[in-house]
């Protein structure tokens, strides 16, 4: 199977033609540098994304605290992970970098705050 | 009149970098004015990643990028920060008048750096016909409503233009459970970063209509639907290509424009098209000792370059003063 991908590693955006057999990349053409090959292999065999969002607070200085996962999560878990993010509430002051949800969906990643929030 | 060595208007990435750099270059009296109740500017609502790759060689979210500068500023006693401070007048002699909760003050700046950022172009600037119902937002306003206010401004969304904020909001609405029914771009390529096209639109199978435009918005109280047509290379509508998309929300993401009313008040000439100050040199203006940096100087693609050029503005201000 052949698939077309656009490399996102730099603004050039090389269009890569990827040859796939049994979900594994066997050949990549079109990349202008080695980063494109790695990108294509990762993107086909194990696409991952950092999830960013914001979590509702209760009685703190900000109404929403921005959050992200501390490691990338598999692309197909993003929407499920969002369900957990939407359920979460922050009710105590936290600095940036604090764990808000530990081991999100058992994916071995944590959801962490990216901004400090204080008591009012 | 009270005189201060250096006044900086705007506490976003540009103003913060300018303040830090001016201090590093020897300025001992710096007043930083910010109209919001926090430093950080637009970065506070940009909760996604992609910031800092060039400047910090790390991938950060907007608030994380801002935090590094806020922390530094707090450690410098020579930088006085005045929040909830809104400048309403600027004169050619660099005296400015500003409002604070419950009072109005005037002072003169020996040196002035304007770092007032930019605003989004509106529906009116994109020339879309139709009614004026609720449900039409600029993409950045929708971003603020979702990420800062915790409100979801709509459920069925059409995005006009494919600038980065529009693309980022396509993903943001989708993650929040809304349906993004299409991104409509008049050109044949996105004006945003490739990464955003892939990770914000393609990842979620959102229809991306290149060489299309919205010709009319319908709805009485709330947006009900839009007309979309295909256009050719010259932007001319192709006959019989019209179709409708039912939606309750239209986001406008057709570009940014520097916010420069204050320097215009002081007599600086702005470029008619770009709204940037007319000048030959980065950060400089026709008034000696009055500098402009960041998105109010020109609209930048990434914050890292705003930081770089604004550090230079701080240095220029120090050089002028000392
Ligand atoms: S393959 Fe290399 S040059 Fe091409 S887009 Fe990717 S990183 Fe850039």
């Amino acid at each position: 199977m052949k698939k077309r991908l656009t490399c996102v590693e730099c603004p050039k955006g090389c269009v890569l033609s990827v040859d796939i057999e049994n979900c594994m990349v066997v050949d990549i053409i079109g990349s202008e540098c080695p980063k494109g090959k790695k990108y294509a292999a990762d993107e086909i065999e194990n696409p991952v994304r950092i999830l960013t969002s914001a979590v509702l607070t209760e009685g703190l200085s900000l109404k929403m605290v921005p959050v992200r996962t501390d490691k990338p999560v598999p692309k197909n878990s993003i929407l499920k992970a969002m369900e957990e993010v939407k359920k979460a509430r922050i009710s105590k002051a936290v600095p940036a970098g604090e764990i808000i949800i530990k081991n999100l969906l058992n994916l071995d990643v944590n959801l962490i705050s990216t901004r400090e929030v204080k008591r009012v | 009149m009270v005189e201060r060595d250096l006044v900086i208007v705007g506490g976003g990435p540009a103003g913060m970098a300018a303040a830090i750099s001016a201090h590093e270059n020897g300025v001992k009296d710096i007043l930083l004015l910010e109209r919001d109740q926090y430093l950080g500017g637009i970065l506070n609502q940009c909760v996604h990643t992609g910031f800092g790759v060039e400047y910090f060689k790390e991938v950060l979210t907007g608030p994380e990028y801002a935090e590094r500068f806020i922390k530094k500023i707090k450690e410098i006693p020579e930088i006085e920060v005045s929040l909830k401070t809104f400048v309403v007048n600027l004169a050619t002699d660099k005296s400015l008048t500003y409002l604070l909760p419950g009072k109005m003050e005037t002072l003169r700046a020996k040196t002035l750096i304007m770092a007032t950022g930019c605003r989004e172009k509106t529906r009116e600037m994109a020339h879309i016909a139709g009614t004026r119902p609720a449900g039409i937002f600029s993409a950045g306003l929708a971003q603020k409503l979702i990420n800062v206010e915790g409100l979801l401004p709509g459920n069925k969304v059409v995005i006009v233009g494919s600038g980065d904020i529009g693309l980022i909001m396509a993903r943001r609405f989708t993650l929040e459970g809304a349906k993004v029914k299409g991104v409509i771009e008049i050109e044949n390529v996105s004006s945003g970063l490739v990464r955003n096209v892939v990770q914000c639109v393609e990842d979620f199978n959102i229809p991306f209509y290149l060489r299309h435009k919205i010709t009319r918005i319908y709805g009485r109280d709330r947006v009900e639907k839009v007309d979309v047509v295909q256009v050719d290379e010259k932007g001319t509508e192709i006959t019989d290509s019209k179709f409708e998309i039912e939606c309750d929300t239209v986001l406008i993401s057709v570009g940014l424009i520097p916010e420069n009313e204050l320097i215009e008040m002081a007599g600086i000439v702005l470029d008619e098209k770009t709204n940037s100050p007319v000048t030959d040199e980065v950060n400089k203006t026709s008034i000696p000792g009055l500098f402009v940096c960041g998105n109010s100087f020109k609209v930048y693609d990434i914050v890292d370059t705003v930081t770089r050029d604004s550090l230079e503005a701080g240095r220029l201000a120090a050089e002028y003063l000392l």
Side-chain angles (χ1 to χ4, degrees), chain B residues 11-24:
Chain B
M16 292 195 293
I20 291 165
S21 155
H23 175 259
E24 277 170 4

Side-chain angles (χ1 to χ4, degrees), chain A residues 7 9-10 12-14 16 31-33 35-36:
Chain A
C7 177
E9 296 291 328
C10 88
K12 262 195 190 155
C14 296
L16 314 173
S31 62
E32 276 184 35
C33 83
K35 273 203 232 162

Side-chain angles (χ1 to χ4, degrees), chain B:
Chain B
M1 201 187 296
V2 181
E3 243 191 7
R4 302 291 297 253
D5 284 352
L6 173 60
V7 177
I8 299 170
V9 180
M16 292 195 293
I20 291 165
S21 155
H23 175 259
E24 277 170 4
N25 284 283
V27 183
K28 295 276 182 310
D29 171 37
I30 303 168
L31 175 63
L32 178 57
L33 308 177
E34 165 56 45
R35 65 183 172 191
D36 203 345
Q37 50 183 328
Y38 302 100
L39 289 176
I42 204 69
L43 288 169
N44 288 329
Q45 70 183 59
C46 298
V47 304
H48 54 279
T49 59
F51 303 91
V53 181
E54 276 178 28
Y55 188 69
F56 290 113
K57 312 279 177 240
E58 272 180 74
V59 186
L60 304 172
T61 64
E64 290 167 327
Y65 190 95
E67 180 60 26
R68 298 201 173 186
F69 291 88
I70 295 171
K71 230 174 148 183
K72 244 189 171 164
I73 286 194
K74 283 187 180 155
E75 286 164 4
I76 304 172
E78 289 89 352
I79 302 177
E80 180 194 342
V81 177
S82 180
L83 299 171
K84 299 184 195 169
T85 305
F86 189 77
V87 179
V88 291
N89 192 59
L90 176 63
T92 315
D93 70 349
K94 297 187 291 261
S95 61
L96 31 89
T97 305
Y98 50 90
L99 302 172
L100 286 144
K103 57 182 170 180
M104 184 165 88
E105 289 178 356
T106 298
L107 57 72
R108 205 186 85 82
K110 286 188 200 158
T111 323
L112 181 63
I113 299 177
M114 299 298 289
T116 47
C118 59
R119 312 189 256 272
E120 298 180 275
K121 288 192 185 165
T122 59
R123 170 207 180 166
E124 283 67 30
M125 295 178 187
H127 303 294
I128 306 168
T131 53
R132 299 176 60 86
I136 305 169
F137 303 91
S138 65
L141 173 59
Q143 183 180 47
K144 182 171 188 183
L145 290 172
I146 296 179
N147 294 340
V148 178
E149 309 290 340
L151 303 167
L152 187 62
N155 294 307
K156 288 178 284 177
V157 187
V158 169
I159 300 175
V160 182
S162 63
D164 286 308
I165 317 169
L167 300 176
I168 297 276
M169 290 318 292
R171 173 173 64 192
R172 199 68 192 89
F173 269 92
T174 308
L175 290 179
E176 289 299 330
K179 176 101 187 128
V180 179
K181 304 192 77 172
V183 177
I184 320 286
E185 168 59 55
I186 196 161
E187 302 294 332
N188 69 343
V189 285
S190 165
S191 51
L193 300 170
V194 185
R195 187 184 63 220
N196 288 334
V197 174
V198 173
Q199 299 190 350
C200 301
V201 178
E202 291 176 8
D203 268 9
F204 301 101
N205 300 314
I206 295 168
F208 198 167
Y209 300 95
L210 293 169
R211 283 257 155 84
H212 279 73
K213 71 175 190 182
I214 289 197
T215 51
R216 184 168 287 274
I217 297 174
Y218 296 88
R220 235 179 71 91
D221 300 325
R222 180 82 196 193
V223 174
E224 284 162 16
K225 62 177 182 178
V226 293
D227 279 343
V228 181
V229 293
Q230 205 180 343
V231 295
D232 64 18
E233 327 66 81
K234 294 194 201 85
T236 317
E237 293 173 24
I238 292 172
T239 31
D240 298 331
S241 65
K242 189 167 93 181
F243 61 98
E244 285 177 354
I245 302 179
E246 197 210 319
C247 57
D248 60 21
T249 303
V250 176
L251 294 194
I252 311 288
S253 176
V254 293
L256 303 166
I257 190 147
E259 191 164 331
N260 277 327
E261 281 72 14
L262 287 168
I263 61 166
E264 200 175 20
M265 239 181 241
I268 289 170
V269 179
L270 303 181
D271 183 287
E272 254 177 57
K273 252 200 180 138
T274 62
N275 218 41
S276 284
V278 176
T279 171
D280 298 331
E281 282 171 279
V282 180
N283 300 329
K284 290 195 179 168
T285 70
S286 53
I287 299 179
L290 196 162
F291 304 92
V292 180
C293 68
N295 279 342
S296 50
F297 182 77
K298 64 165 193 199
V299 174
Y300 287 79
D301 284 332
I302 59 170
V303 71
D304 302 66
T305 26
V306 167
T307 299
R308 188 198 65 200
D309 284 3
S310 301
L311 290 169
E312 177 60 14
R315 197 193 63 76
L316 289 169
E319 193 183 78
Y320 173 84
L321 195 65
L322 304 172

Side-chain angles (χ1 to χ4, degrees), chain A residues 47-63:
Chain A
V48 293
R49 303 283 185 261
I50 295 269
L51 171 63
T52 61
S53 185
V55 169
L56 197 61
T57 68
E58 287 162 345
L60 299 175
S61 62
L62 303 171
K63 190 173 172 201

